[in-house]
Amino acid sequence: MFLSRKPLGLILVLSLVLFGLCPVQASRAQQREIIISEDTSAKNLNLGRAIYTIDRVSQGRIYTKVSSIGCPAMYETKKGKKIYGFITCGHEKELGDWVYLDAACTKYIGKVTKLKINSQVDAAFVRVTNDSYKPSSKVLYQDASGQKGGVKIASQAKADAGTKVWKSGASTYLTKGKILDTNATTATNSGLYTGLYMTNLKAKAGDSGGLLYMKKKKGGYAALGICKSSNSQYSFYIPLKKITKALDIKVL
């Protein structure tokens, strides 16, 4: 239900938080707290790729929550150690959650070490601790069919209404459209969120955390934010500047 149909000024719309709940059969080994992937080859964690966290284990089945990789980032500890990983959505996650690349939760990649959810931010930082996988600056998809081989993101930026943009996510892959508002408000089942990008991009459950980006006038592509939620007409994105400030991290 929309309270306003026009994307002008501060807009309040009702949208759905984009996460998915998937039941999968669990073996006894899969129910351990830490599961290390047996795949030792180097793999890139491309932007928009699906990631999973465990919601619960019930009657021998693992129920997982799916979201998407946003963009590579890092932070330094008080002792000066650099911690590398990526940004994704914060909803349906907790500090310390282990993160996997498959719904069966056998391909462990890291854990949530930073998390912030308030009226303007819904984001988490996943520290990559499995050396078999590496954060990437390349978009996973090149079209809405799921064809692999997207563009490389070289910087971050802010965008104005009318800017042509793309979203890379695990459910709807690569979708394109434009920004309708840069200061939108949306209501989800977890409360009101303000100061968001509102777009006409298609997005649905599982796309949360996926990257929103634009093409720069002088060439190259720049990251703008990550997917928060959507409804039947619009999708909403949290600006990167708010995320990096809230989590005290740096986008790579």
Side-chain angles (χ1 to χ4, degrees), residues 55-83:
D55 179 58
R56 67 186 186 277
V57 178
S58 177
Q59 297 181 342
R61 293 170 67 87
I62 291 178
Y63 289 81
T64 62
K65 297 167 288 188
V66 59
S67 51
S68 302
I69 294 176
C71 58
M74 62 83 66
Y75 66 89
E76 288 191 23
T77 66
K78 292 181 179 179
K79 294 183 178 181
K81 182 179 180 180
K82 294 182 179 181
I83 306 298

Side-chain angles (χ1 to χ4, degrees), residues 206-228:
D207 286 328
S208 277
L211 182 67
L212 178 72
Y213 66 94
M214 61 176 279
K215 187 173 184 179
K216 298 166 65 176
K217 290 182 179 180
K218 294 184 179 180
Y221 293 87
L224 298 174
I226 63 169
C227 189
K228 163 61 186 170

